[in-house]
Amino acid sequence: MSYEIAKAQLLRRGVALEDIAEIVYSLQAVYHADLTMEKCLDSVKAVLQKREVQYTLYTGIALDELAEKKLLPEPLQAIMEADEPLYGVDETMALGITSVFGMIGLTSFGYLDKVKPKIIGQLNNKKGERIHVFLDDLVAGLAAAASARIAHKSDSANDYSAP
């Protein structure tokens, strides 16, 4: 049930799971010749099944929506409207999602936060009545975690066990 709510909230904000899967594919295709969009989408869905990921999404989306309605107390309202670069709480929440799958998730998130490919950039650049202070980072966190999940499941990882 919670998975369906999280998926619906993402869709309501303009983000399809396939949008996230495209980013996952771009991060992992170089390392996995047999990678498909279906595997990437399955990984996104698996990450979104985690309750702590759902709770993080609910919180970030709610804050974005409250800011759009101008219902946050000052100075938080002004910080959200400006998408203040030093705010950092949005990235901190997204890092909670990436940490589910270790350091590779963290490094992938840093890359995505800097480059802002595809839907992440679209969310980040939507100015006006829509506020996505949290959502662009949460989507990057989801993509980074789903990418890391694929990396962790790789059969091509070196085996360092003793002979």
Side-chain angles (χ1 to χ4, degrees):
M1 180 69 167
S2 294
Y3 164 83
E4 292 299 330
I5 294 169
K7 180 180 169 185
Q9 285 192 356
L10 286 168
L11 273 174
R12 186 169 43 78
R13 299 296 289 175
V15 180
L17 298 187
E18 292 80 5
D19 296 330
I20 302 169
E22 285 180 17
I23 297 168
V24 173
Y25 185 84
S26 71
L27 289 171
Q28 287 296 313
V30 176
Y31 307 106
H32 306 281
D34 63 338
L35 188 64
T36 65
M37 283 297 294
E38 183 179 352
K39 288 180 183 177
C40 294
L41 184 58
D42 288 345
S43 192
V44 171
K45 290 176 180 178
V47 171
L48 199 54
Q49 292 284 345
K50 295 196 163 286
R51 189 71 52 94
E52 65 264 39
V53 171
Q54 296 164 9
Y55 291 165
T56 303
L57 279 173
Y58 299 160
T59 304
I61 290 170
L63 287 168
D64 282 348
E65 290 176 340
L66 289 169
E68 286 173 1
K69 294 174 184 172
K70 300 190 181 302
L71 294 174
L72 295 174
E74 292 296 351
L76 187 55
Q77 182 66 43
I79 291 167
M80 294 283 287
E81 287 175 4
D83 196 359
E84 175 61 47
L86 294 177
Y87 180 57
V89 176
D90 45 341
E91 284 89 359
T92 302
M93 284 179 58
L95 289 174
I97 294 173
T98 65
S99 68
V100 173
F101 291 99
M103 288 305 293
I104 191 168
L106 174 67
T107 57
S108 293
F109 173 76
Y111 169 78
L112 294 174
D113 189 43
K114 181 72 174 166
V115 175
K116 299 189 187 316
K118 303 180 186 271
I119 189 70
I120 298 166
Q122 293 168 21
L123 293 168
N124 185 67
N125 296 329
K126 249 187 198 173
K127 304 298 182 203
E129 78 255 6
R130 294 311 283 282
I131 292 178
H132 297 119
V133 170
F134 285 90
L135 188 58
D136 64 325
D137 293 305
L138 296 173
V139 168
L142 281 168
S147 174
R149 182 179 177 274
I150 290 170
H152 279 279
K153 290 179 162 284
S154 173
D155 292 332
S156 65
N158 292 332
D159 182 2
Y160 296 103
S161 59

